[in-house]
Structures are given as C-alpha cells and as structure tokens.
Amino acid sequence: MNLEPALEAFFAEADELLTRMEESLLGLESAPDDSELINDIFRAAHTIKGTAGVFGFDDVVRFTHEVESVLDRVRDGEIAVTPDVIGLFLRNKDHIGALVRAVAEKTDIDDAQRADGETQLAELRVLLGKPAAVPAATGLVAADKPAVGASAPDMESGSGNWHLSLRFGTDVLRGGMDPLSFLRYLRTLGDIVHLTTVIEALPNWLKLDPESCYLGFEIDFRSDASKAEIEGVFEFVRDECVLHIVPPHAQVSEYISVIRALPEDVTMLGEMLVASGALTRAELERGLALQAGAASAAVEPTAEGEQPAAAVAPPPLGEILVETGAVSPGVVDAALTRQKQVKDAKAQEARSLRIDADKLDQLIELVGELVVASAGVQNVAQMLAQSQLTEASEVLSRLVEEVRDQALSLRMVQIGATFQRFQRVVRDVSRDLGKDIELQISGADTELDKTVVERIGDPLMHLVRNSMDHGIEPTEVRIAAGKSARAKVMLNAYHEAGSIVIDVADDGGGLNRAKILRKAIERGLVPEENQLSDREIDRLIFEPGFSTADAVSNLSGRGVGMDVVRRDIEALRGTVEIDTEPGKGTRIRIRLPLTLAIIDGFRVGIDKASFVLPVDMIVECVELAGATRDAARIRGYLDMRGEVLPLLWLRQVFDIHSDAPPRRENVVVVQFGQTKAGIVVDHLMGEHQTVIRPLGKLFSSLRGVSGSTILGSGEIALILDVAGLMKMAVSGTTVSQAELAGSAG
Amino acid sequence: MEIERSDDGATVELAMIGELTIFGAAETYGMLTRVLSEKRDLRIHLGRVTEIDSSGVQILLAAKRAAEKQGHAFSLVAHSEAVLEVMDLMQLSPVFGDPVVVPAQAA
C-alpha cells in the first residue's frame, strides 16, 4: 500500500495546524484569558500528535505529548498564561515544525536542534512539576518489585491511557483459549503500561476446578489503536468474557472533535459514535438490543393498562450507552449537538477540497491553449463573415473567458496567511532588538495568484526586517522625537488597476538621504559631482552592493540586500517604489501583476507587427492626428485636457522603419501606479485574451517587453512591459539608448 | 507433565517438569491436593517448566493460598524462563512474593 499521499496530507495538515497554533499563541499574548484560543492551540497540538502517532513518528509524538500535557494544564487553569509560557510554546511549535520537517525530508534533526528540543522538554517538565531529568529507558523491569511506576516513565498520570477491564468466562480454558495469549496479542497494538491480574474469583482449593478460568485483568494500555481495533483483539472470546474499554482522557476530546467534523450524511447517533471510533459496532448492537428490549418491555403494560403510548417511549440510545459504560457522557453530548447541527444547517456548510497544485497548473495550461484556440476560431469567423459562425464563436469565446476566469480564480489565495506569518517575526525580532514594535495588518483578504504569494514571502520578510532594524529608531530616540514608544510596522494589500499593491510601511525615522548618498559615493555607485533628486537617492538602496547598516546585525546585512528584493519582485513582473519622509517613516510599495499566466490583452499594431498591452493598465485611447500630432512630435508630450502626458513612440522604441509612414496614429493612455503616459501606435486592434509565454533567456535583458503570446492566427505578438516603457517615456530614452546607458553603468 | 517429589525433612519440594498447562491441569491438581493434605511446608521448583498457561498460574495461586491458610510456607523457586515471562506478563511476582532470579543476559 502506498502511504505517500496520506503522508503528504499529514505534512500539509501539520503545516496548517502549526500556523494556526502560532496565530492563536500570538493572539493569546493580548488576550491571555481567551479559552477559545487555548482550545485551538491544544487541538492543534493534539491533532498533530495523533496523526504523527498513526504514522509512527515517535519523535514528534514524544515531544508533542509533553507540550500537550502542559497545554492541558493551561486549559484547566492550573498553569497561568504568562509571556514566558507563550514564548516557550512558540519555541515548542518551531521544534515540532522542525521534527515534522525532518520526517518529511527523511533526515534527522541536527544536534543543535536536538539539544534545543531537550532543553524545551526540561522546561515543560518543570511546568508540569516533574523532575527535569526523566530516565530514558523504558520497559526494563525487575521482576521482584511492583512494575507500576518504572514501566511508564512518561505517562504516569494514566489519563493518556486506555483502560481495559476484562473478566474471562469460566469455560475459556476448556474452549482451548488461554487468556495469556490475548495479552500477548494486545501487546502488539501498544504498551501494557500497567496490569493487575484479578484473582478475587479464584475459589478455595477444594472447590477449584483446575480446568475453569477464574482470571480477570485490569489493564492500563497505551496505544494509538482505535477502540474497535482494541476490541478486535478479544474477538474470539468476546461472547465469553466481560470487556469494558475506557478510552484515554485525551481520546474523549478526540472523539468529540471527530464527531464535530463528521460528514453530514451521518445523522444517526449510534452511527456517529461508531464513525468517531468512540463506540464499536458490537457495543452499538448491544446497546440497540437493550433499547429494543426496553421498548418491548414497555409496550406490554400499555396493551394491558391502556396507558398513553408516549409515556412509555424507550429510553434514548445515548442514555443506554452511557449507562452501560460504552461511551462517556461528553462524547454523547458532542454527538447529539452535532446531530442537531447537521439537521439545522445541512445545506449551508462550506466545503473545501484539497487539490494537487500540479493538477491545477495543468488545468491552467490547458485553459491557456483553449484561449488561443478560441481566438483562432474567432479569427476565422471574422474572415468568413458568416453570421451564424460569428455568433457561435462569440458564444464560445465568452464561455472560454468565463472558464479562464474561474480557472484562474482557483489559483487565487488570500494574502492573509502570508501576512500572519510576520506577527511572529515582528514579535521575535522586536525582542531581539529591544524595540517595542507592533504589526498592523490590513487587506488580509486581498487575493492573488498562489505562485505570487509563494514567491513574495522572502522579499516581504526582508523588507519587514529591514523596517524594524533600520527604519524604526530605538525607543529613547522615539520618545525624544515626541513619538509613541510603541512603533508600528504596517502591512497592507489592495487591488489597483489590474495589479495588487502590497505596502510595507513603518513609522520610523525615514531614510537618511545624506548618509545614503555618502555611502553610494563611497562605494562608487554614483559619481561625486552628480546632482541626484531625493527620489533617485531613495532608489539607491535597491542598488546591488549597497548597505547602510553601520554594524552588521544578525537581521539584515546578511548578504541579502535590497537589490535582491528588487530582483525578486521584478522577476514576478512587479515593481518596487519607495516613499520616505525623514522623521515620519518609510513606505515601500510593491506592485505585482494579479496573475502570471493569462491576461486580458489589448492588441495594437505598428505596420504589420502586433503588440499586446494589458487591458487593466489602459485608461483610454485617443486619436493623434493633424496639428496636435505635429505639436506632439515636436514637444514629446500631449496636452490631455490640461494635463501633461509624456508620449512614447513605439515605432521608435523598437526601431521599426517603414517606407510609408502611417497617415494616422493613436495614443494608448496607460496608467501604472500614479503615473500616466501615452504610447503612440499605428493601429488599435481591440481586446484579445492573452496567454503569457515567457521569452527565452536570451531576451531576459530586453527592456519594454515582458513576454510573448500566440495570436489566434498563429502569429506571435510581444507583450509590452508597461512599467518598463513608462520609465522610458518619462526619462525620454529608447531601447537602444537605455541599453547603452545600462552597459555604461 | 511430571512431578518429582523430594523431602528434606522440613519442606516438601515438588519439581514441576514439562508443561504446566491446561492439558495436565487435572493431574497437577490431584497431585497438589495429595501433598496439601499432608499439611507441610511446600516448595515448588519451576526450573524445568517448559511452558505455563493461565491454568498453571491459577493452580499455583490457589495452592499458595491453601497452604498459607493452613499456616504453612509456600514458595516458588528457580523460575524457568517460561515462568518468568508469564509472571512478568501478568505482573504476578508481587502476588507470589518469591525472590526471583532474573537471568543475567541483558544489562
């Protein structure tokens, strides 16, 4: 049997649970009394332990078990929630993560991690009031003393164990079965932590029948097996013995959580309990038989005394089960609540499905092909100009468009999870730095492509650390400057004109331009006599080999500079802007495309060549003709209703020469961020769904072009990089000039 | 199942040989009933027991109780490995209270 998918699911789940645990822990810092948070944390730890146990990841189980024990005490209010305790739990969470990762990567944790884990275990044990050092050996028991304590070094409370109460029928031995063999079999499912042989039934010698069985056992059993599995051990003597299986304390809460998570098609109480594992099928059948028995017993007097039937309704199954000791009342309650919930809200429940990311990528790829194909059909339809075909192709292309949007939205995830990770970072780093910093998150529900989310994590991390390390002043300086002692780092995300904007802002000291310029001159990044604008100076921090850190701290200055941030973001077809005000703070604004795969394009043409612009960035199109055109040619800009619009002639940018200059030109007004510019082209060819294909490595340094696409006709069109073009428009360079400048600098 | 009886004047020693299981339970019971009726101190030598099951354990427990009720000593000695395994499984050593020599194989 292939366990890999199950393992994959476990690792993914563990990851989510750990993240949730961290969020709740951080939440607990500001609300130490919130029992819901504590429960959340407990559940997360518990589920990880349980699942790890199923797969036999003993290291994870052993460590998580201790964490869970402490959490249990916290939950019961026996251990107070102090910042130290939360700090310990956070480290615990990291260690569990490391353990799980080690399992996932089939490696061992390194010595430092191992030592750290042991330290944490010792701290946990101190909280539990146990001796910090616990003998590691298990099971070696000297036979001449009671074996209770020694055989159960870390499960001494018994609450984590199953309890089996077992009395054999007198004929078991005669039937050829030895009670001992069941014990031996039971040991294959787990550890017998403690066992008492019950000999009270043994008669005195003369009454003894040597072939009868008088034995019974009370067993504390530690195992990850389910109740049904444990019951299965005794299958052959099930009818000849009395067996009670009491689940471990923790198991009860597990049953409860399983019951809460049961699918909606299970609505019968008994079935629910069996599904959760709290009740075995055999126990249920006995309970139902009892219920039926009670019912028929109740029916008889009715027939004779003609009492109203309602008064003699059979006892509810739940009651019977609790009375016979098959399940605990808490579990039945949970099942009953769930039963009600299911009945109430059967229709409304939100469901989600876990899908392999590769499958999704394949789908998107196919949708891409579909888009190209449908554009081809549309092309043909236009050429043939046959109304029926045109109509059909219109319908087709509209549907394809919807399919495309839906498919792409599958890949969209909220950025919130990424943002939340930074709570922890800010907390830890602010402690390390001795600064009081709070993280404010907004726009956490903004959605963007999963690939982008995955790849934006590192740059964001660097920016946030940078803000805390360099941006925010030491507390004394803040107070002296009349600012609040508690500094703020803000993460904000929102959509704007077809891109997503992520702001990393702080209310620190802002950039020190004099210092930046000095450093830049020192490192030969700019010639000394150059006059630079404030903005240009600010942008210097994104230059390779630039660092203002006077002392290299362990946070920044680790060889990963802001230039790497810029490169990462540009690799995502995004841009970085910086906005800083001395004494007030700094804001770094990242602008990213919504998706990396397919866009709504707008086709423009120069002579016979086609180019595609992202529709989202286009504000409007205007005709450029007559006197305006001549004036624009000379001035290089256009008077747009009183606004200056810099123009860029695409023909010049790409050096396209043609013998017959067009009689008419058009300006496509594009907006990127706060800047607008006009791109002058020959023809406007309308909207076109565009599947982006990256250009080869050879063209990676090409400016103004971000990719290519295949048109319906099979021709290739270049996708224009609006941000890059606008830089050129504003600075008035062309590709060749820019290239020259690039190689010179 | 075989039982060898020896007598040093103070104590009767019964050496159990072979399987102390349900198959010889009736026989063992009969033998022990005879010995118990003598009302002497008893010592059971288990060194040559190759197999023991619940019935064997039961008989030993009942015999111990019976002897002690009469006011006589009852002890188990030289537990074989098979006996030790079962005693350990049922965690009965404290119940019998006899000193047990654990074989010095694993330290």
Side-chain angles (χ1 to χ4, degrees):
Chain A
M1 186 170 107
N2 185 11
L3 271 179
E4 282 302 318
L7 279 175
E8 287 295 324
F10 165 64
F11 296 134
E13 187 194 18
D15 219 40
E16 271 172 30
L17 286 167
L18 287 171
T19 313
R20 184 135 41 102
M21 187 170 166
E22 183 173 286
E23 280 170 27
S24 300
L25 278 168
L26 293 167
L28 206 57
E29 281 199 317
S30 46
D33 298 324
D34 190 334
S35 60
E36 202 36 57
L37 286 175
I38 298 174
N39 278 335
D40 259 1
I41 299 163
F42 182 85
R43 274 198 296 274
H46 182 75
T47 312
I48 291 174
K49 188 185 94 170
T51 330
V54 172
F55 289 109
F57 302 147
D58 295 338
D59 283 351
V60 181
V61 175
R62 190 173 77 99
F63 186 81
T64 317
H65 172 75
E66 293 290 334
V67 179
E68 193 189 335
S69 306
V70 177
L71 279 167
D72 197 27
R73 300 274 190 97
V74 171
R75 200 166 56 158
D76 295 344
E78 288 168 36
I79 295 175
V81 180
T82 63
D84 285 348
V85 171
I86 294 176
L88 176 60
F89 282 147
L90 282 171
R91 281 163 49 218
N92 291 158
K93 176 247 143 194
D94 289 347
H95 191 67
I96 296 172
L99 289 170
V100 171
R101 233 176 352 268
V103 178
E105 287 159 12
K106 298 195 171 58
T107 55
D108 274 331
I109 53 172
D110 61 38
D111 290 344
Q113 283 173 321
R114 194 176 299 280
D116 186 35
E118 291 304 321
T119 320
Q120 292 182 24
L121 275 180
E123 287 176 47
L124 288 168
R125 291 198 178 107
V126 170
L127 283 173
L128 287 172
K130 285 197 228 176
V134 166
T138 55
L140 270 182
V141 181
D144 58 347
K145 64 173 178 164
V148 192
S151 65
D154 53 356
M155 300 286 281
E156 84 295 357
S157 69
S159 66
N161 297 332
W162 294 85
H163 186 84
L164 278 64
S165 179
L166 193 58
R167 299 291 180 278
F168 288 96
T170 48
D171 288 335
V172 168
L173 286 168
R174 266 186 285 268
M177 283 173 287
D178 184 359
L180 290 176
S181 56
F182 295 106
L183 294 186
R184 291 194 184 101
Y185 182 23
L186 185 64
R187 278 201 302 206
T188 62
L189 285 187
D191 287 339
I192 294 180
V193 176
H194 181 60
L195 178 144
T196 310
T197 304
V198 181
I199 49 172
E200 272 63 39
L202 203 63
N204 68 36
W205 185 261
L206 292 175
K207 289 203 183 128
L208 182 83
D209 176 347
E211 293 182 348
S212 287
C213 180
Y214 302 100
L215 297 176
F217 298 111
E218 295 290 332
I219 304 165
D220 284 332
F221 186 55
R222 176 172 52 191
S223 171
D224 296 322
S226 70
K227 195 172 178 182
E229 280 172 310
I230 294 175
E231 194 186 51
V233 171
F234 303 98
E235 195 187 332
F236 295 114
V237 282
R238 194 66 187 90
D239 300 329
E240 295 174 61
C241 72
V242 181
L243 170 66
H244 287 289
I245 303 174
V246 182
H249 193 59
Q251 193 78 24
V252 172
S253 53
E254 177 129 313
Y255 291 150
I256 294 179
S257 60
V258 172
I259 286 170
R260 289 200 183 123
L262 277 181
E264 293 149 358
D265 50 348
V266 188
T267 47
M268 279 153 76
L269 178 70
E271 296 297 329
M272 263 188 192
L273 292 169
V274 172
S276 77
L279 192 71
T280 63
R281 180 66 58 188
E283 282 172 332
L284 173 63
E285 272 155 23
R286 266 194 303 284
L288 287 171
L290 274 176
Q291 189 183 30
S296 59
V299 167
E300 278 163 36
T302 332
E304 288 167 19
E306 288 180 27
Q307 287 160 352
V312 290
L317 180 62
E319 246 168 58
I320 293 178
L321 292 174
V322 172
E323 263 168 42
T324 56
V327 284
S328 70
V331 178
V332 173
D333 276 351
L336 286 172
T337 320
R338 176 70 187 159
Q339 198 175 24
K340 191 167 179 303
Q341 274 177 4
V342 170
K343 282 175 186 161
D344 287 352
K346 200 159 180 167
Q348 307 173 358
E349 207 130 312
R351 296 195 191 182
S352 65
L353 192 63
R354 216 183 265 281
I355 299 179
D356 202 339
D358 289 346
K359 284 190 186 166
L360 211 52
D361 288 343
Q362 282 168 13
L363 176 69
I364 305 272
E365 206 155 300
L366 278 176
V367 170
E369 299 292 339
L370 189 62
V371 165
V372 172
S374 120
V377 171
Q378 218 177 350
N379 237 17
V380 176
Q382 267 169 16
M383 265 170 15
L384 295 180
Q386 196 203 359
S387 65
Q388 265 171 314
L389 180 59
T390 311
E391 203 172 305
S393 87
E394 287 296 330
V395 172
L396 177 69
S397 76
R398 202 188 65 236
L399 285 173
V400 166
E401 208 167 304
E402 267 173 45
V403 168
R404 179 203 66 176
D405 287 348
Q406 288 292 327
L408 285 177
S409 75
L410 290 178
R411 291 186 54 91
M412 294 302 232
V413 292
Q414 297 194 346
I415 200 169
T418 310
F419 277 3
Q420 281 302 332
R421 287 219 318 260
F422 291 100
Q423 290 284 12
R424 175 75 184 278
V425 175
V426 170
R427 177 190 180 277
D428 289 355
V429 172
S430 61
R431 281 201 185 179
D432 285 353
L433 293 170
K435 293 175 184 174
D436 186 8
I437 303 171
E438 124 187 72
L439 177 68
Q440 284 185 349
I441 289 175
S442 47
D445 55 356
T446 310
E447 289 190 329
L448 71 164
D449 195 280
K450 191 172 180 328
T451 327
V452 182
V453 168
E454 277 162 9
R455 283 159 65 182
I456 198 67
D458 283 350
L460 276 185
M461 176 73 78
H462 195 83
L463 290 174
V464 168
R465 288 185 163 201
N466 222 56
S467 266
M468 288 190 286
D469 201 11
H470 306 310
I472 286 168
E473 325 84 323
T475 313
E476 315 84 62
V477 178
R478 287 183 65 89
I479 293 172
K483 289 181 175 180
S484 65
R486 166 164 270 208
K488 272 189 279 194
V489 171
M490 286 150 284
L491 281 173
N492 184 22
Y494 55 94
H495 287 291
E496 187 193 88
S499 42
I500 177 171
V501 181
I502 303 172
D503 283 349
V504 180
D506 63 63
D507 67 345
L511 291 182
N512 184 340
R513 292 195 178 114
K515 193 160 144 194
I516 291 170
L517 192 57
R518 203 171 60 238
K519 278 264 153 108
I521 292 170
E522 241 170 60
R523 306 209 170 182
L525 295 173
V526 282
E528 217 163 315
E529 67 278 11
N530 246 26
Q531 286 297 314
L532 293 177
S533 72
D534 283 353
R535 270 191 108 72
E536 282 168 324
I537 297 176
D538 294 345
R539 288 204 65 85
L540 284 173
I541 64 167
F542 291 112
E543 290 300 317
F546 184 86
S547 171
T548 49
D550 295 323
V552 173
S553 74
N554 65 341
L555 296 170
S556 8
R558 293 173 308 151
V560 189
M562 295 291 263
D563 60 312
V564 177
V565 172
R566 190 183 68 175
R567 214 180 50 214
D568 284 354
I569 289 167
E570 283 177 354
L572 290 169
R573 294 195 286 119
T575 56
V576 203
E577 268 169 47
I578 186 160
D579 192 0
T580 181
E581 197 172 332
K584 289 270 179 60
T586 306
R587 186 188 62 209
I588 292 173
R589 178 161 284 181
I590 300 170
R591 211 177 280 278
L592 294 165
L594 267 182
T595 170
L596 300 174
I598 306 176
I599 56 169
D600 271 322
F602 187 80
R603 229 170 106 203
V604 296
I606 298 209
D607 261 4
K608 296 219 163 58
S610 291
F611 298 91
V612 174
L613 286 158
V615 161
D616 294 326
M617 292 178 165
I618 297 175
V619 182
E620 61 183 315
C621 299
V622 289
E623 195 185 7
L624 191 62
T628 336
R629 181 181 174 189
D630 297 334
R633 273 225 178 274
I634 297 161
R635 291 185 296 197
Y637 65 84
L638 190 67
D639 182 0
M640 274 281 282
R641 298 181 279 274
E643 224 179 294
V644 173
L645 186 76
L647 291 179
L648 187 75
W649 274 265
L650 210 56
R651 181 183 290 275
Q652 284 172 21
V653 170
F654 293 112
D655 250 342
I656 303 172
H657 299 289
S658 58
D659 307 327
R663 271 191 294 148
R664 220 174 54 170
E665 283 177 316
N666 291 285
V667 178
V668 181
V669 182
V670 290
Q671 175 170 15
F672 188 71
Q674 298 310 315
T675 332
K676 279 186 191 169
I679 296 174
V680 185
V681 298
D682 292 359
H683 333 282
L684 304 176
M685 282 126 109
E687 283 193 45
H688 173 83
Q689 289 189 66
T690 308
V691 181
I692 300 178
R693 314 214 176 241
L695 287 172
K697 275 216 173 73
L698 202 59
F699 303 106
S700 61
S701 62
L702 198 60
R703 306 233 324 235
V705 174
S706 63
S708 66
T709 186
I710 300 171
L711 299 175
S713 59
E715 280 173 77
I716 287 180
L718 293 175
I719 298 167
L720 298 177
D721 168 21
V722 172
L725 284 176
M726 276 169 65
K727 253 187 251 166
M728 291 186 219
V730 172
S731 59
T733 52
T734 66
V735 171
S736 45
Q737 283 168 322
E739 229 57 322
L740 283 175
S743 55
Chain B
M1 178 75 224
E2 232 181 288
I3 299 176
E4 273 178 20
R5 177 182 170 137
S6 55
D7 193 337
D8 64 0
T11 309
V12 176
E13 178 171 301
L14 297 178
M16 308 283 180
I17 300 160
E19 295 177 2
L20 198 56
T21 60
I22 183 74
F23 303 109
E27 199 189 324
T28 313
Y29 178 71
M31 179 69 179
L32 277 170
T33 310
R34 271 199 300 283
V35 179
L36 280 167
S37 67
E38 293 172 32
K39 301 193 193 306
R40 301 270 304 276
D41 286 357
L42 270 180
R43 184 165 60 232
I44 312 289
H45 189 283
L46 299 170
R48 278 176 283 173
V49 173
T50 53
E51 195 186 336
I52 182 167
D53 68 2
S54 307
S55 73
V57 174
Q58 264 181 194
I59 289 181
L60 291 177
L61 273 169
K64 179 185 167 72
R65 275 198 192 169
E68 284 172 356
K69 209 169 150 194
Q70 297 166 359
H72 290 284
F74 179 95
S75 58
L76 304 179
V77 296
H79 306 63
S80 70
E81 237 169 83
V83 177
L84 282 177
E85 192 263 333
V86 169
M87 291 271 185
D88 186 39
L89 182 61
M90 299 173 79
Q91 305 197 357
L92 277 176
S93 297
V95 179
F96 282 106
D98 298 296
V100 168
V101 182
V102 182
Q105 19 132 341

